[in-house]
Amino acid sequence: HKDAYQAILDGVKGGAKEKRLAAQFIPKFFKHFPELADSAINAQLDLCEDEDVSIRRQAIKELPQFATGDNLPRVADILTQLLQSDDSAEFNLVNNALLSIFKMDAKGTLGGLFSQILQGEDIVRERAIKFLSTKLKTLPEEVMTKEVEEFILTESKKVLEDVTGEEFVLFMKILSGLKSLQTVSGRQQLVELVAEQADLEQTFNPSDPDCVDRLLQCTRQAVPLFSKNVHSTRFVTYFCEHVLPNLSSLTTPVEGLDIQLEVLKLLAEMSSFCGDMEKLESNLKKLFDKLLEYMPLPPEEAENGENAGNEEPKLQFSYVECLLYSFHQLGRKLPDFLTAKLNAEKLKDFKIRLQYFARGLQVYIRQLRLALQGKTGEALKTEENKIKVVALKITNNINVLIKDLFHIPPSYKSTVTLSWKPVQKADASQKRASEDTTSSSPPKKASAGPKRDARQIYNPPSGKYSSNLGSFSYEQRGGFRGGRGRGWGGRGNRSRGRIY
């Protein structure tokens, strides 16, 4: 029968009818002719690249039948390369074929996928990573064993040596979804991977947009991993020592993003989970100095009580919420900082600033409550009112924190939920935020709102404490603008083309 099978293999060189028959019969009798395995697989591959789309689809659909024993990684490699198809029906067939061989041998299939991620064409690499990020979570537990998950982690570490920002985000999604990494030690491993990617040992360059963007991308990935058992100390230390002193000179490739507010929001979220810090006093001092920049002294008044021509200082509530919250969190670790570490003059100056800010705050809280009074349901969903609701959260938070610092001695006992975070239940206030809450979860957007990069600024009525309340929502921007080769280093030249 060997000659008959050879005749079927030769059918791939014939016309459309012969090819269609070959596409069905080559896989059907494949297992009976192990000595012709190579020729059979190559013949089927020729059909997978035929000009006739129906022949290609038939050939792809049958590919899993060749995935036996040692042939499986090769078939996985071939199917991974076929992910580059732009025909949607063909692309779905490739996806289904990959999933079916996954259930036969997950490690062998992953071997084929990762070999293409490391060595294949850019389009293949991109689609293979996307396949892993969307399909792995759909596989049953009996397929995703501990051994398989360990293999994914090992191979992912190789890929992470050279990735773009967008790829890194996808790999973090893949790895954080693995069951074996849901433990405290697993989360710790992931934080270490992120810290390595963020390159926290390097000198921070605030004027290099890619350097800034890389740090922010990595920090966003790390934030949901932090908890009372997985500490954010390394990141908080880096932000205090390197980022805060350069806050005003930060640059970003993302148009319309308030980069300073973004940094301060991330710092605030991480500060809750900071462990023991080596240079706590020095970092608290940096945080305190930055906070002072946004807490103005009251303008001097003339003898008749009128403002002596000085403009009212702008009160930047969004910035102050973040800085005050971070200071309050870290201050708990050194409660005598304000009383013992500052001289009396400095403390007096700080109290005057707090008092002035608090007065302005009360005016806004009253105005906001008045504006929102009696509004419920649909009325609160308008863009303007949503901004006012967030503004009220911000001002209330600052009010609570200022009251704490006015205690003698200053107190650090109050707990507040940051204005952009979902409110936690009382019993869960100390627990890690839910997995899908990331550092850049904006308040829910109205379906018809301003365009993506539009700033949403609340301008309260003008008056003695008039100011704007800062930017209230921002979009999470994934990846770097431009393709690979920008940002996190271009990947080196790799072999190209079909490597069946």
Side-chain angles (χ1 to χ4, degrees), residues 106-107 110 114 136 143-158 174-175 177-181 183 185-186 189 193:
K107 265 178 85 172
L110 285 163
F114 275 105
L136 284 184
V143 174
M144 294 295 286
T145 61
K146 190 168 187 287
E147 189 189 0
V148 167
E149 293 198 345
E150 279 169 7
F151 182 75
I152 293 168
L153 180 60
T154 306
E155 292 301 301
S156 296
K157 283 178 179 176
K158 292 177 194 170
I174 292 164
L175 295 174
L178 299 180
K179 195 179 174 188
S180 58
L181 293 177
T183 59
S185 63
Q189 253 187 295
L193 266 182

Side-chain angles (χ1 to χ4, degrees), residues 71-82:
N71 295 316
L72 188 136
R74 187 181 172 199
V75 172
D77 196 293
I78 292 159
L79 282 167
T80 306
Q81 292 182 63
L82 291 170

